[in-house]
Amino acid sequence: MWKMSRTLSVQWTEGAYITGYLHIYSYTSIYGGIFVELVKRNIHMDRVRVQALTQFTLEDDVNIPENKPDVAALNLEKGELLIDEIKPAADYVTVRGRLNFVVLYHTQEEGSNLVVLDGKLPFEEKINLQGVMPTDPVTVEGEVEDITMNMINSRKLNIQSLVTMTARVEELYDEEAPIAIHGDEKLEYRRMPLNVAQIAICKNDIFRLKEEVTLPSNYPNIFQILWSNVSMGDVEFKIMEEKINISGDIHLFILYEGEGEEHPCRCFETTLPFSGVLECHGCREGMLPDIRYHLGQQELAVRPDFDGEERNIGLELVLDIAIRIYEEESLEIISDIYGVSKEIGTVTHKAQLRRLLSKVTGKTKVTDHIHVNGGTLLQLLHSEGVVALEQQSTVENGILLQGSVLVKVMYITGEDESPYGSTQAQIPYQYTLEVPDIAPEDMGKVHAEVEQLQVTMLDGEEMDVKAVLSFSTVVFKNIPVELISQVNVSELDSSKMSNLPGMVIYMVKDGDNLWNIGKQYYVPVDSLREINSLDSDELKPGQKLLIVKGG
């Protein structure tokens, strides 16, 4: 028979999982007028129920629109994956979306030297996801691993892109842990102390940023922006009372044509610090955040200043934030029970609890030289880097990270026919993120980013690249336990009891303890201590104990 007393509840609020009051349950077993009540409490957990990863290639030929000049050479390209529809079915999910691409090329026709072309490639992909149902809330994350543009001729380009998508079903659930037992019958039970990390808040949110930058006075007015790159750095989340403080840096780069007859090409780069507050009901200082962010929607617009000149750059960004906040608590759960005058049986189930193992960050440096084939370096215009985490594995006291940094550089050559050039290189790295006492099943999701990138000219054919890579993760230690879910009361087995002596001298064996001995002879542990005048529970092999039934 089950009953429930209210002291804490769990609720969903706008997609958020927020702990309020704790549910305490009790299970009552009644036998011959004797009842035993097992009191339980919920431990709030989250997990990935099913997950699958797939890679596929998008490829198509793109014609240059009539209003665009011929292509002389390609300079830079980038792509962004947008997911429009996620449709789960039995054991698979269909994903529809598009790859938005932008390419910068230069032309030999009169007028603008640099030209921007954008477009999109639609896709529909089926991901096998064993165990998923049509009603499951499936999330899909997509990454453009690589994008390559090649000239077929001056009016046609070929685009190829390698895309990785991960589909998963995350769920929230409760484990019921026994914390107390009551009843008419004399029972012996022992407790096991546990430090448990429960999920307190689970939700997705967005954080909007609006900034405006004015060009320095020695820069020409903006005629049109040719290329832009926005990235985030040093983003930190701090848990406060009912809110999350967010701070970090916005790194902005633009390549633009200036006003004037020759439309001079100029680069502008700046770093904008930002800070703000995200309301988060239920959070408080001391909780454990595992918060991930992704730079989503970006809008860049040229705006006039007070004099009506095109010198201001308006920036609107959206950070997509996945919020997981945990709370550590010390519990004592009942791990075993036996009866003295009645047979007490238990029904158990396997569970995976966890505690915080480590919240860790680490940095490493990578260096390399990039050689330019053909042409001469006159001036560097722009460089950008993206870190790829290709493999992670547990090693002794750490997580071994392996991958590469893709560095793209655009430069001026000084040659009339090909005034602009670009090159790229992949720089491998290997780094161990220190996590003491980690086991393979404790693996956390590692966030990686390029914190600093510096590219300098060595001579007319070679560049020096230096980068600082930053890694962070939250690792939880898995705790496998057997949780008692039910207690059954019955009469003692008479034949079994008749074979137990009323009094015996027991010789302690290796691995024995008072609990196991008491359980074997249906004798309370306190009685064993008292009869044998024991000051502690420590036993030594060969030690003699007096056991008296009913003592």
Side-chain angles (χ1 to χ4, degrees), residues 267-286:
C267 296
F268 174 70
E269 196 162 6
T270 187
T271 297
L272 306 170
F274 74 89
S275 62
V277 173
L278 195 65
E279 291 186 5
C280 186
H281 174 64
C283 75
R284 58 183 181 274
E285 291 186 59

Side-chain angles (χ1 to χ4, degrees), residues 488-522:
N488 299 315
V489 183
S490 61
E491 290 292 345
L492 294 174
D493 187 334
S494 57
S495 61
K496 180 178 179 181
M497 296 303 296
S498 63
N499 291 329
L500 292 176
M503 180 181 297
V504 66
I505 300 296
Y506 182 85
M507 188 76 71
V508 176
K509 301 184 294 294
D510 189 30
D512 276 344
N513 56 54
L514 290 179
W515 175 266
N516 292 336
I517 296 170
K519 186 176 183 179
Q520 179 181 345
Y521 286 91
Y522 294 84

